[in-house]
């Protein structure tokens, strides 16, 4: 499939506005190294959206607790052992990263 070949070459992902990543949106993207999410009122990352992205190192998601509407499915980042979340302290994102044993950098 054309899209599989295209997405597999993506190395950096910068998302804008409201974000809703569907099931397996970027699964198995071997070249993907980072994803930067916008400060947004709505971010949804569904099951296996980033599953098995072997070179994925960094997720930047800086929404803060007061105004965020963030949902990250429990297995959205399965099989990404090298992953670090850059997020705000006490945020939903930090809680997700801790519960799933990912590294965290607070800003």
């Amino acid at each position: 499939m054309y899209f599989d070949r295209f997405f597999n070459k993506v190395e950096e992902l910068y998302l804008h506005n409201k974000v809703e990543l569907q099931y397996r949106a970027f699964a198995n993207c071997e070249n993907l190294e980072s994803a930067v999410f916008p400060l947004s009122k709505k971010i949804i990352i569904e099951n296996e959206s980033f599953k098995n992205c072997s070179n994925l190192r960094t997720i930047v998601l800086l929404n803060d607790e007061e105004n965020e509407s963030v949902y990250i499915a429990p297995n959205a980042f399965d099989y990404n052992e090298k992953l670090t979340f850059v997020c705000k302290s006490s945020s939903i994102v930090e809680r997700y990263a801790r519960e799933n044993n990912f590294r965290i950098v607070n800003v």
Side-chain angles (χ1 to χ4, degrees):
M1 175 180 251
Y2 172 77
F3 289 113
D4 290 341
R5 289 193 310 267
F6 171 76
F7 284 124
N8 196 35
K9 296 178 192 285
V10 173
E11 293 179 8
E12 295 179 339
L13 185 62
Y14 294 90
L15 302 160
H16 300 282
N17 302 321
K18 289 193 286 185
V19 176
E20 295 184 44
L21 294 179
Q22 300 300 315
Y23 172 76
R24 302 198 72 160
F26 293 96
N28 300 309
C29 286
E30 296 172 0
N31 292 324
L32 185 62
E33 296 176 2
S34 64
V36 179
F37 288 82
L39 291 175
S40 176
K41 294 193 184 299
K42 184 177 183 181
I43 295 176
I44 298 171
I45 305 171
E46 291 290 351
N47 289 326
E48 300 182 8
S49 290
F50 290 95
K51 179 181 179 179
N52 199 34
C53 296
S54 57
N55 287 305
L56 185 59
R57 302 281 191 276
T58 308
I59 297 293
V60 178
L61 214 165
L62 298 177
N63 281 37
D64 57 20
E65 190 68 36
E66 292 178 12
N67 67 359
E68 70 183 330
S69 178
V70 175
Y71 170 75
I72 305 173
N75 61 347
F77 294 93
D78 279 359
Y79 306 107
N80 290 299
E81 293 81 23
K82 303 170 187 174
L83 189 56
T84 298
F85 279 82
V86 178
C87 57
K88 292 197 176 182
S89 181
S90 301
S91 66
I92 290 172
V93 178
E94 181 189 45
R95 193 172 322 125
Y96 172 86
R98 286 197 192 291
E99 289 172 358
N100 290 279
N101 299 312
F102 291 115
R103 288 178 292 284
I104 299 166
V105 173
N106 289 125
V107 294

